[in-house]
Amino acid sequence: MARIVMKFGGTSMAGIDRIRNVANRVKHEVELGNEVAVVVSAMSGETDRLVNFCREASPLYDPREYDVVVASGEQVTSGLLAITLQAMGVKARSWMGWQLPIRTSDAHASARIQTINSDAIGAAMASGEVAVIPGFQGMTEDDRITTLGRGGSDTSAVAVAAAMKADRCDIYTDVDGVYTTDPRIVPKARKLAKVTYEEMLELASVGAKVLQTRSVGLAMKEKVRVQVLSSFDQPTDNPTPGTMIVGEDELEGSTMERQLITGIAYDKNETKVTLTAVPDRPGAVASIFAPLADANINVDMIVQNVAHDTGSTDVTFTVPSAELARSLDVLERERGNIGYEKLVHDAAVSKISVVGVGMRSHAGVASKMFSTLADRKINVLAITTSEIKVSVLIHEDYTELAVRALHTAYGLDAEDAA
């Protein structure tokens, strides 16, 4: 018998027929004798609908009230899944985030989980009851509803698995595992049997939509074994049919093929922001990014042009497209402190990243990336790197061409693919 947390995304919960499919999967695990908790997302498209309502009400909405609105989608699917399981003869009940409770920070719309009281869920699971929990939500110490950011149900599931000391956290999506890149763009992409936490963390942070970045970081910190698999495949008695996200030590001595590059990701949800003629003085850069940090706006790539005896410089960086309006508002209010001349932005960009632990011991990864893009006449607008990642910013029109070219250049194409 194992203790399992099963998480189902919005596509898996999109309507009663698919909720019945989810219920059948949960029932299968219960019949195998496993203790099960389920974390659910809102129905596909529902969170976008609720977010748009908030934006229509006010572009600069109060994040606290935003959370009240968008957290409601998961409440609906939690109740519906519990009802469906009960109709199938499976003992089940739903638990709202405030009932456990799931305590979070007060950074509304991007809150971080601090504690989960697992006593009630543990007792319910031990008695054979399936606990159905809404993902994406929690509450502050002063009892205000919070949400964890887009994709936050993944983080909810990993946090519940850590609190429950679960044997495994299964993340069900519309794909059957983690691929070397998006198979919709590259039909020759290969499914990976295992990926390290560190590689998955980088892939998630640079655009791979399989798992939310924070969920992978939490899994690595708490050593939660995470599996990515499809909710549309038939249930199987094989406990690990998807891709396992594991520690690097679990791959030591493995006979699986290890590539120099594990995967290639892309992200079109970034906007390039440029401040022109920023005074070239100590503290100038801090005056730009400190207010953005105070507003909980994440900045990614940063490029500062060299000042040539002009006393000023241009500073370019990227922010999530969803945060553009707030970013511009913050920067315009801080114009007097920053002292820039113009504020311009460009949403027609895409970030392309290559990721792999093999970079640590092999030179030339970045060089191959730049030469491959140059051969296709693709201009690089910005660059950022880490120990196992190289990312470049390019015009969005070249996204698919860049991904295909790099996938082939690094030898990731499956030989038997059509």
Side-chain angles (χ1 to χ4, degrees):
M1 180 181 75
R3 174 168 283 187
I4 300 172
V5 174
M6 306 171 72
K7 182 266 174 178
F8 293 91
T11 304
S12 306
M13 303 298 293
I16 296 300
D17 286 343
R18 291 192 177 180
I19 289 175
R20 287 197 182 99
N21 178 59
V22 167
N24 278 319
R25 284 192 164 276
V26 175
K27 183 179 180 181
H28 178 76
E29 293 293 344
V30 171
E31 289 174 343
L32 290 176
N34 295 322
E35 294 181 0
V36 179
V38 186
V39 175
V40 296
S41 297
M43 292 186 185
S44 180
E46 179 65 8
T47 301
D48 287 338
R49 187 178 74 93
L50 296 171
V51 169
N52 287 333
F53 282 148
C54 293
R55 289 175 177 164
E56 288 177 16
S58 172
L60 299 176
Y61 48 73
D62 182 342
R64 294 167 298 183
E65 303 305 335
Y66 166 94
D67 279 351
V68 172
V69 175
V70 300
S72 63
E74 282 74 13
Q75 178 170 324
V76 171
T77 49
S78 296
L80 288 173
L81 180 56
I83 290 171
T84 306
L85 285 167
Q86 291 167 2
M88 293 180 173
V90 177
K91 187 179 178 184
R93 69 153 285 185
S94 62
W95 297 81
M96 297 298 102
W98 60 267
Q99 290 176 308
L100 299 175
I102 298 174
R103 293 289 182 186
T104 74
S105 66
D106 60 0
H108 288 272
S110 59
R112 292 184 176 274
I113 295 174
Q114 296 174 335
T115 61
I116 296 179
N117 188 330
S118 61
D119 294 345
I121 297 178
M125 292 171 66
S127 69
E129 181 177 86
V130 174
V132 184
I133 305 165
F136 183 56
Q137 66 173 247
M139 64 186 302
T140 63
E141 288 298 330
D142 60 351
D143 296 338
R144 291 300 302 257
I145 293 174
T146 58
T147 62
L148 310 183
R150 298 308 296 265
S153 293
D154 289 345
T155 300
S156 298
V158 173
V160 169
M164 299 301 303
K165 298 185 178 355
D167 297 281
R168 197 176 70 243
C169 179
D170 289 344
I171 307 290
Y172 287 84
T173 70
D174 55 356
V175 295
D176 60 351
V178 178
Y179 281 74
T180 48
T181 195
D182 188 341
R184 294 170 299 181
I185 291 180
V186 182
K188 292 183 178 182
R190 295 182 291 106
K191 188 174 83 168
L192 301 164
K194 291 182 180 179
V195 177
T196 68
Y197 292 124
E198 197 171 1
E199 288 171 325
M200 195 66 238
L201 186 61
E202 289 284 17
L203 286 168
S205 70
V206 295
K209 300 297 188 287
V210 179
L211 292 173
Q212 189 205 43
T213 306
R214 282 165 51 192
S215 71
V216 184
L218 182 60
M220 181 165 60
K221 174 177 175 289
E222 299 293 337
K223 294 181 171 54
V224 175
R225 299 180 83 247
V226 176
Q227 179 177 204
V228 177
L229 63 170
S230 173
S231 59
F232 301 113
D233 291 340
Q234 290 301 311
T236 173
D237 291 345
N238 176 7
T240 56
T243 299
M244 292 299 302
I245 316 300
V246 298
E248 196 166 342
D249 56 338
E250 193 167 326
L251 298 182
E252 291 180 359
S254 172
T255 57
M256 66 177 289
E257 182 181 1
R258 297 297 296 163
Q259 296 276 353
L260 170 63
I261 297 300
T262 297
I264 298 170
Y266 67 94
D267 188 359
K268 292 184 177 181
N269 297 313
E270 299 245 340
T271 298
K272 183 178 68 166
V273 178
T274 299
L275 303 181
T276 66
V278 176
D280 185 25
R281 54 175 170 76
V285 174
S287 69
I288 297 171
F289 297 112
L292 293 171
D294 291 341
N296 291 310
I297 296 170
N298 290 323
V299 174
D300 187 12
M301 296 178 162
I302 301 174
V303 177
Q304 181 175 359
N305 295 334
V306 177
H308 294 288
D309 300 323
T310 62
S312 64
T313 182
D314 294 346
V315 178
T316 297
F317 55 92
T318 60
V319 297
S321 297
E323 298 284 6
L324 178 61
R326 289 206 304 131
S327 300
L328 297 180
D329 178 67
V330 168
L331 294 169
E332 286 168 357
R333 284 191 280 107
E334 294 292 329
R335 183 170 187 169
N337 293 328
I338 300 170
Y340 63 84
E341 182 176 298
K342 293 180 182 179
L343 172 59
V344 296
H345 60 90
D346 180 8
V349 294
S350 179
K351 180 171 65 177
I352 310 295
S353 306
V354 296
V355 175
V357 293
M359 290 186 196
R360 290 184 178 138
S361 55
H362 291 80
V365 172
S367 174
K368 178 173 284 191
M369 184 180 200
F370 302 147
S371 62
T372 299
L373 296 175
D375 289 344
R376 273 72 178 180
K377 310 299 183 187
I378 300 174
N379 190 37
V380 173
L381 307 174
I383 305 166
T384 187
T385 65
S386 75
E387 189 178 22
I388 64 167
K389 175 201 71 181
V390 181
S391 297
V392 297
L393 196 69
I394 64 173
H395 193 282
E396 65 178 5
D397 288 350
Y398 298 102
T399 302
E400 294 190 7
L401 174 61
V403 170
R404 291 192 190 101
L406 292 169
H407 197 269
T408 298
Y410 287 111
L412 296 176
D413 292 351
E415 293 180 1
D416 58 348

